[in-house]
Amino acid sequence: MSKGKGKIAIVGIGEVPTGIYPERSPWAIMYEICTQAVQDSGLDKNDIEAVVTVAPQAQARLTAEISFGKIPEELGLKGCKDVCICNAGGASTSNCIRLAEQLIASGAARAVLIPHVTVHSCIPMDELINFFAQAGMDLQWEYPFGTTYNAIIGMLTRRYMHESGATPEEMASIVVSMRKWAALDPNSIFFNKKVPSVEEILSSPMVADPLHKRECNILADGGAAMVVTSAELAPKVTQTPVYKLGEGAAFFTACPVLRDNGMMTRGFTESAAKALSEAHITKDDIDIWNIYLAYPVGHPLMMESLGLCEPGQGCKSFVDGSTWPGGKMPWSTIGDAIGRGHTGSGVSTATYVDTARQLMGKADARQVQGARFVFQNTSGGSGMNNIATVWGKELI
Amino acid sequence: MTQQYIKPIPVVQPWTEAFWKSTKNHSLLIQKCSACESLIFYPRKRCPECWSSDLGWQEAAGRGKVYTFTIVRDMVEAKFVPDLPYVLAMVELEESVRMMTRIVECDPELVQIGMEVEVVFDDITDRHALPLFRPADESLRITATDGDQTGKASEPALFMSPDDYHTILYETGGTNGAVCRITLNRPEKRNSINRRMALELRDAFRRVREDRNVGVVVLAGAGGSFCSGGDLDVFPSLAEHQTSLNWLAHEGLDVQKAITDCEKVVIAKIDGYCLAGGLELALCCDLLYAKESARMGFTEINMGILPGWGGTARIVRSMPVFRAREIIYSGRKDYTAREMFEMGLLSRVFKDEEFEEQFEKAVALLAAKKPIALRMGKEIMAKSADGGSIDTALAVERNGIQWLTYAPDIQAMMDQFRKNVKS
């Protein structure tokens, strides 16, 4: 049996810079990222046999257009046989990739295009606040008390600091690490921008104590896409296939109130263990930890759950530079949502695209030299789940 | 009270009705599975453990501990803005279920993880009471503040003094105390205008009107920027219709009137950013002197609105109209001072390195004039520029100048002429 049997690979990627560009329409982005990804893959546009799109949040019109087949039609993907949209919040891209995997395994499609586009700057501010106040909150048991995403994260952060003894300075250093990657990334909203100091972060206004304004995300516009094929086909079309080697998933809760840090660390640990064992490697083989959690607090929790440090010591690597560009434990190479700009569910797409970019050796100033294996996760809702994956530039 | 509740009401399911009905009796229920005896929160239609639909209720003791909490200070929906800051918390009940709630009757700074709390109920409608928690320790409790539900800034003291100003500086000086300097002083926020600053500006310009020695007021910004406009912190409160109108009709109009009616020549000292509400303040002044590197413009239209502190109405009376329209419609914030001067808005632009010196020269030149002549000039020119009939303006001018000439010092000089005529 071939070792790539049933496996898939990313063979092409495309992306536009994240930022606030109200004049850049969703469909202009869609054309740009899809064209880039298909051309990068070495395939012809008519080789794309299915389009599985990451659902754009809070954009009903765009969602309807994509759901009802506009992408293959606009782009003239004459070979397309199947189209759908997939929504699991910030984890959506993982589910899209899995759907592509099944389409490929069943023979329904040989090459699948997975795009995501979000244009927050065209959504009126009150609608945005409203959407993010209610999404992921229970309308009976949470929302009437005045919950928001930031407030939920504020509560989880306080609990984490209480349990671990982490200081505000340590929490802020996570943002510093993210922004160091972002400053080098031409696709980030903070590209070439000065990296704020711990003091500057802690002197920004308090939003949901202990969460400061500069520990929250900036909503932005962006888009990214990838082309996926079977592991057998991949090396025939590109020099730089990026193979998916393993996966593990854990579901926690929809309601934040029913979730606690212990439940999350267990889920992180178990899903990572499954992904690594399926890939037949250990955590020592991982060259990049591409973690997507959208706020600082999840990062030390993840680091502790992965067994990369002692319990309660998760912040230390962000302080001492291990996670920074050039550090010994490259971590979130797009700087997560806080460094990239929050594009709804698109940060997970951008993280996968960067996982591929790093393994293709095309990450320029952020390139982790000699990277062979990347661990990546995604998480949806207000932290409802964790999907861990392992990617490599070769099959094992 | 029932009719006025504008915050979200719990979306009740048929199988949770008993819970909410009970809250009206100020009793907290926990769902209990009759089959496997699990305690369930939040209530379901089937037991999440054993899937039995044979479910009942048990009354909770109403005591618990804070599992975690946050003090929410910003970035909430408009309907929660009047509550800010509020303590959102997860409380673990003695029965080992955890619920989302708020901590009330307590100074937010005193709330701690592990703090013992007890349930109280907020009767929000005739069918729902929200279970909230207060400190079990009575010594930590404070009684709820009443009446603070409108989202308004706390009322200003009836009579402020410059010592009470937090957001501006007020200084008089110069020869004979003829110059008053009012300086916007929130440099960390580029002197953006919040509610407090609006009230203090109103107070300061009304105060200077009563100072007969002052002929010239310099309106400036601290820290290298004139004013970047309204503070975004004010923004959430504008979601409430009346509050929004009053921000324009009370704070906004009062500040404009206080400047234009202060009977002094007000000189805007423009450097750094002079944007949006900052430019509107400038348009209320009599003379605009700008530093070459200053950046100006109206950005309101980029948010789909227009300058509402007099800017839209005043700018077309302040410069050639076809150029004024561009400033309003373009939303640009990068007009240079030189450009604005060439478009006809500013009195003068000074090179950066000469700005302080030239500006002070201009102030000194005017400060040497008689305050009442400056005052009458301001009034006559304002009445004429207002676009009333020329005959009215000319009458105001004649009578104003006649009034000026009856000043004792001028009359003393006139007496000399009269004597000469007689002799």
Side-chain angles (χ1 to χ4, degrees):
Chain A
M1 189 182 91
S2 134
K3 54 187 175 176
K5 186 79 181 155
K7 296 215 181 294
I8 55 155
I10 298 173
V11 294
I13 55 174
E15 188 159 26
V16 293
T18 302
I20 296 164
Y21 303 107
E23 71 285 0
R24 193 174 65 180
S25 81
W27 285 98
I29 298 175
M30 191 67 84
Y31 268 98
E32 178 66 28
I33 58 175
C34 293
T35 312
Q36 271 185 36
V38 173
Q39 288 174 346
D40 187 47
S41 74
L43 292 164
D44 182 80
K45 73 172 173 67
N46 295 340
D47 294 332
I48 302 297
E49 293 185 330
V51 181
V52 179
T53 305
V54 177
Q57 309 296 336
Q59 298 152 95
R61 180 70 215 159
L62 181 61
T63 301
E65 286 172 343
I66 296 170
S67 304
F68 303 146
K70 199 86 193 304
I71 294 175
E73 182 175 281
E74 277 280 351
L75 291 164
L77 308 178
K78 304 292 185 189
C80 182
K81 295 187 272 192
D82 207 348
V83 58
C84 81
I85 195 164
C86 180
N87 194 355
S92 304
T93 317
S94 299
N95 298 84
C96 289
I97 292 171
R98 197 137 23 151
L99 203 46
E101 205 169 304
Q102 288 159 4
L103 285 163
I104 290 164
S106 69
R110 279 169 298 181
V112 181
L113 175 64
I114 302 174
H116 167 269
V117 170
T118 274
V119 180
H120 276 136
S121 61
C122 291
I123 308 173
M125 184 56 80
D126 54 343
E127 274 180 41
L128 270 183
I129 292 181
N130 209 282
F131 178 82
F132 283 101
Q134 295 184 28
M137 301 300 150
D138 193 285
L139 293 184
Q140 187 170 200
W141 306 106
E142 296 176 328
Y143 183 49
F145 297 97
T147 51
T148 65
Y149 261 100
N150 291 330
I152 295 294
I153 300 300
M155 284 189 272
L156 293 176
T157 303
R158 184 179 299 275
R159 185 73 201 181
Y160 174 74
M161 291 169 76
H162 174 80
E163 288 173 7
S164 67
T167 64
E169 288 75 17
E170 288 177 323
M171 298 308 292
S173 70
I174 300 164
V175 179
V176 172
S177 176
M178 299 297 158
R179 289 286 299 271
K180 281 184 184 284
W181 288 102
L184 301 174
D185 181 358
N187 286 319
S188 164
I189 194 170
F190 293 117
F191 178 51
N192 273 343
K193 295 270 173 15
K194 182 182 167 289
V195 177
S197 66
V198 165
E199 294 71 32
E200 283 168 325
I201 292 161
L202 294 181
S203 64
S204 65
M206 202 63 98
V207 171
D209 198 337
L211 198 68
H212 298 79
K213 203 163 201 162
R214 292 181 96 159
E215 293 171 305
C216 301
N217 301 302
I218 294 183
L219 293 179
D221 313 334
M226 63 190 109
V227 173
V228 171
T229 67
S230 68
E232 285 95 340
L233 181 58
K236 298 183 183 117
V237 301
T238 178
Q239 304 282 322
T240 54
V242 172
Y243 299 99
K244 180 176 165 185
L245 303 176
E247 182 165 41
F251 176 77
F252 310 131
T253 70
C255 276
V257 71
L258 299 181
R259 197 182 311 145
D260 56 40
N261 291 340
M263 180 190 284
M264 289 175 72
T265 48
R266 273 194 305 283
F268 288 165
T269 305
E270 288 164 14
S271 51
K274 171 144 190 314
L276 285 166
S277 91
E278 202 173 292
H280 304 298
I281 60 171
T282 72
K283 64 178 194 286
D284 300 329
D285 299 313
I286 297 295
D287 300 300
I288 298 173
W289 300 91
N290 247 347
I291 304 303
Y292 159 61
L293 289 160
Y295 282 95
V297 64
H299 289 274
L301 270 177
M302 178 65 85
M303 192 170 287
E304 293 162 28
S305 311
L306 292 169
L308 299 173
C309 65
E310 294 299 310
Q313 302 296 305
C315 290
K316 299 286 190 279
S317 305
F318 295 92
V319 176
D320 70 18
S322 305
T323 60
W324 301 358
K328 65 182 194 299
M329 196 194 294
W331 188 278
S332 300
T333 53
I334 66 167
D336 199 0
I338 206 149
R340 172 49 80 95
H342 201 298
T343 52
S345 297
V347 183
S348 67
T349 321
T351 308
Y352 277 114
V353 162
D354 206 56
T355 289
R357 190 184 283 120
Q358 289 281 355
L359 290 171
M360 290 171 172
K362 298 196 288 200
D364 298 330
R366 296 175 301 112
Q367 182 65 46
V368 175
Q369 294 308 324
R372 289 172 66 216
F373 298 109
V374 179
F375 176 94
Q376 175 177 344
N377 83 308
T378 62
S379 174
S382 59
M384 68 169 179
N385 66 346
N386 187 62
I387 300 182
T389 50
V390 174
W391 299 79
K393 58 196 295 182
E394 63 220 68
L395 287 163
I396 294 187
Chain B
M1 180 190 71
T2 311
Q3 284 75 21
Q4 288 169 353
Y5 194 77
I6 57 158
K7 287 180 278 186
I9 290 166
V11 178
V12 178
Q13 302 290 345
W15 53 92
T16 64
E17 273 169 10
F19 176 94
W20 292 106
K21 203 170 165 189
S22 168
T23 63
K24 289 308 294 179
N25 300 323
H26 291 193
S27 153
L28 185 64
L29 295 185
I30 303 175
Q31 195 180 35
K32 186 172 184 181
C33 176
S34 309
C36 73
E37 303 208 321
S38 296
L39 288 175
I40 305 162
F41 188 86
Y42 50 93
R44 319 288 163 91
K45 196 173 182 189
R46 281 181 182 276
C47 170
E49 306 301 324
C50 72
W51 252 25
S52 164
S53 51
D54 185 9
L55 301 167
W57 301 92
Q58 165 185 320
E59 183 166 6
R63 289 187 299 270
K65 287 181 179 173
V66 174
Y67 175 76
T68 187
F69 70 98
T70 178
I71 309 168
V72 183
R73 296 196 181 275
D74 197 4
M75 295 170 81
V76 296
E77 285 176 283
K79 42 190 174 263
F80 289 112
V81 166
D83 295 357
L84 292 176
Y86 57 86
V87 178
L88 198 62
M90 298 187 192
V91 162
E92 196 146 82
L93 299 180
E94 280 180 6
E95 293 82 4
S96 290
V97 302
R98 196 184 302 152
M99 57 188 298
M100 187 72 75
T101 184
R102 281 198 196 176
I103 306 298
V104 293
E105 297 181 36
C106 184
D107 178 351
E109 302 293 340
L110 297 180
V111 180
Q112 288 188 336
I113 288 178
M115 184 168 94
E116 294 190 357
V117 289
E118 64 181 38
V119 72
V120 289
F121 289 87
D122 182 11
D123 289 283
I124 57 169
T125 73
D126 52 12
R127 292 190 299 126
H128 313 84
L130 287 181
L132 311 178
F133 287 80
R134 67 180 181 188
D137 180 350
E138 285 183 39
S139 69
L140 289 174
R141 277 186 221 158
I142 48 175
T143 45
T145 48
D146 51 344
D148 190 24
Q149 285 161 10
T150 52
K152 277 196 285 186
S154 56
E155 282 300 310
L158 205 52
F159 299 103
M160 284 179 152
S161 91
D163 294 339
D164 299 329
Y165 296 157
H166 299 322
T167 64
I168 64 173
L169 302 173
Y170 182 96
E171 302 148 306
T172 50
T175 314
N176 303 324
V179 180
C180 173
R181 293 176 194 270
I182 297 176
T183 307
L184 311 178
N185 190 29
R186 300 179 76 215
E188 73 288 357
K189 290 268 201 174
R190 291 200 175 116
N191 300 320
S192 62
I193 309 162
N194 61 12
R195 288 183 187 281
R196 179 83 197 181
M197 186 185 280
L199 297 173
E200 291 179 4
L201 279 173
R202 184 181 70 180
D203 190 80
F205 278 95
R206 287 180 179 172
R207 171 178 310 281
V208 75
R209 187 172 65 165
E210 305 301 330
D211 188 337
R212 61 172 65 186
N213 294 326
V214 172
V216 174
V217 177
V218 173
L219 179 61
S225 229
F226 181 72
C227 173
S228 59
D231 190 331
L232 290 181
D233 289 352
V234 173
F235 213 71
S237 68
L238 303 185
E240 204 277 312
H241 185 227
Q242 290 269 48
T243 313
S244 172
L245 177 62
N246 290 348
W247 175 243
L248 306 177
H250 294 183
E251 284 91 345
L253 191 59
D254 285 357
V255 170
Q256 292 172 58
K257 287 281 180 196
I259 299 173
T260 59
D261 297 353
C262 76
E263 302 171 357
K264 313 294 178 188
V265 173
V266 183
I267 308 179
K269 183 182 183 186
I270 299 170
D271 58 352
Y273 293 100
C274 175
L275 300 173
L279 183 50
E280 296 188 279
L281 287 184
L283 289 178
C284 295
C285 300
D286 299 287
L287 290 160
L288 309 184
Y289 290 135
K291 194 173 183 174
E292 197 159 41
S293 59
R295 289 289 181 275
M296 309 177 68
F298 278 133
T299 54
E300 287 83 350
I301 199 160
N302 301 331
M303 295 189 288
I305 56 173
L306 291 166
W309 273 34
T312 316
R314 286 183 196 279
I315 196 161
V316 291
R317 295 182 180 220
S318 308
M319 64 189 295
V321 67
F322 291 100
R323 301 177 187 182
R325 288 195 185 115
E326 184 194 276
I327 296 167
I328 292 285
Y329 290 141
S330 71
R332 279 177 53 192
K333 57 182 176 185
D334 60 351
Y335 283 102
T336 63
R338 181 65 57 195
E339 250 181 303
M340 281 295 200
F341 179 77
E342 283 163 4
M343 289 170 78
L345 178 65
L346 301 172
S347 310
R348 244 169 234 292
V349 180
F350 298 125
K351 291 201 175 101
D352 282 19
E353 58 275 20
E354 298 169 5
F355 180 62
E356 290 298 330
E357 187 193 341
Q358 295 290 343
F359 181 81
E360 288 309 323
K361 262 190 200 168
V363 171
L365 187 67
L366 268 67
K369 313 301 179 197
K370 272 178 76 173
I372 56 166
L374 295 171
R375 166 182 173 178
M376 196 50 65
K378 175 164 176 148
E379 182 160 22
I380 298 166
M381 287 191 273
K383 288 290 175 260
S384 183
D386 268 358
S389 76
I390 185 70
D391 286 338
T392 308
L394 292 172
V396 172
E397 179 191 280
R398 280 195 307 274
N399 297 331
I401 290 158
Q402 195 64 4
W403 180 80
L404 284 177
T405 57
Y406 273 83
D409 53 339
I410 295 181
Q411 282 304 310
M413 196 167 62
M414 291 297 183
D415 282 344
Q416 293 301 318
F417 290 130
R418 290 179 193 120
K419 280 177 195 159
N420 291 345
V421 170
K422 278 180 189 166
S423 56

